[in-house]
Amino acid sequence: MKKLLLFCCFIFSLAFFTQAQNLVPNWSFEQHDSCPYAPGQIYFANGWFNVAFAPNYNNFCSSDSEYTVPTYIYNKYGYTDTTGIGDAQIATCNLCSFCENPPNQRETIGSLLITPLQIGKKYFVSFAVRLMISPGWLANSASNKIGALFSTVSYIMPIDSENDISSNYTHSISFIKNYSQVYTDSVVADTLNWTVISGSFIADSAYTYINIGDFFDDSLTNHILIYNDTSYAYEMEAWYLVDDVCVTDDSTASCASEWTGTNDIASRKNTMLIAPNPFSQNTTISFTFSDGYSIRSATISVFDMLGRKVRDGTVNLANDEYIFQKGNLSSGMYFIIIEINNRVFKQKIIIN
């Protein structure tokens, strides 16, 4: 089994502290201990761990095209991040008509929430996914039932356990609940854009963990073969990138979507444009919000390629625009993180 969705940030433990807090640490997978170089290294992303089999961690710092950003499938097709430098990668199904693979094989990631959920309180959940397809290889299918399951216990798997098939299988079937608090019934088959899966629920327990994957039995999950390749038609695998995971008690503070109701798939209509980019002395950063929100100020942070903060502060905007000056920054690539009224944008900039 291959080991393995513009709005969140990669700054260290950044969360929403004005009106609401995102309870997911390292929610955009940017913060990392090490650069990934092999399958199954999701634990390199700070705060995340392997729940089932071996989910990939992709980061711009990797020297391997299969684990960097953009991420390539066997050097064929490149898949970019939501606008940042890191994301997770999971397989939501592995069906084979004659293989010895046991049922319900899939990859799942998990994280310990910053604080436990409060019983009786309503929470809003969102995360972004993007289907990865590569004709002629095992990434040939799409599926539904991708969702977030909250738990009071950790389903963490041991590090580097991908080859222990028996242990993996025993562990993975333990969380086939045929239920998750937020999920989509629609098959997610978009490879060009990120799809936001969002929903809300009222906590009935003091949940301490969030898990991302498919928690339904294979028989209850809809699998669609996208490419019927002669070489791999007997086997179906659905691979997805995962990014921008958000859990908050404020429906207006999502880091990935506009709320449309429980288990809805929402579209992203809020945008940030930086032009020109690359630039030599200055560039214009402009914003558009679908709800007509007018921007007066923003918090801006800039990081270099080593993750060092080289500039931050609060700036005033005119007509939803800000002129970003090179100032004392050297030529090169940077990541700019902008927070506006609990909405967080991130994007690469290049200074000539």
Side-chain angles (χ1 to χ4, degrees), residues 123-127 182 196-200 246-248 250-262 264 266-267:
Y123 290 91
F124 300 85
V125 183
S126 68
F127 60 95
V182 172
V196 177
I197 298 174
S198 66
S200 62
C246 192
V247 178
T248 176
D250 187 344
S251 65
T252 67
S254 167
C255 64
S257 69
E258 299 173 320
W259 301 108
T260 59
T262 302
D264 287 341
S267 62

Side-chain angles (χ1 to χ4, degrees), residues 39-105:
Q41 294 179 330
I42 186 60
Y43 51 85
F44 281 175
N46 295 353
W48 290 91
F49 53 80
N50 177 6
V51 171
F53 289 90
N56 280 9
Y57 177 49
N58 304 318
N59 193 285
F60 180 81
C61 67
S62 176
S63 60
D64 191 311
S65 63
E66 290 191 36
Y67 314 109
T68 189
V69 174
T71 307
Y72 288 83
I73 301 180
Y74 303 112
N75 295 317
K76 281 191 171 184
Y77 297 92
Y79 293 87
T80 58
D81 192 89
T82 52
T83 59
I85 62 169
D87 51 49
Q89 183 178 325
I90 62 175
T92 58
C93 76
N94 182 23
L95 305 177
C96 186
S97 58
F98 67 85
C99 304
E100 297 179 356
N101 297 344
N104 296 318
Q105 274 200 118

Side-chain angles (χ1 to χ4, degrees), residues 187-214:
V187 172
V188 180
D190 196 339
T191 61
L192 298 178
N193 305 290
W194 288 82
T195 299
V196 177
I197 298 174
S198 66
S200 62
F201 72 103
I202 297 176
D204 56 4
S205 297
Y207 295 116
T208 51
Y209 294 91
I210 182 173
N211 307 278
I212 305 293
D214 176 7

Side-chain angles (χ1 to χ4, degrees), residues 240-307:
Y240 289 92
L241 297 174
V242 182
D243 208 352
D244 298 357
V245 185
C246 192
V247 178
T248 176
D249 59 4
D250 187 344
S251 65
T252 67
S254 167
C255 64
S257 69
E258 299 173 320
W259 301 108
T260 59
T262 302
N263 298 341
D264 287 341
I265 295 180
S267 62
R268 294 179 170 185
K269 301 176 182 178
N270 302 325
T271 62
M272 177 179 75
L273 176 66
I274 300 180
N277 191 17
F279 62 95
S280 58
Q281 295 301 322
N282 60 70
T283 186
T284 300
I285 306 176
S286 56
F287 302 87
T288 301
F289 287 99
S290 60
D291 58 6
Y293 177 74
S294 182
I295 307 165
R296 293 180 175 84
S297 65
T299 300
I300 296 182
S301 300
V302 181
F303 296 81
D304 65 17
M305 294 303 295
L306 297 178

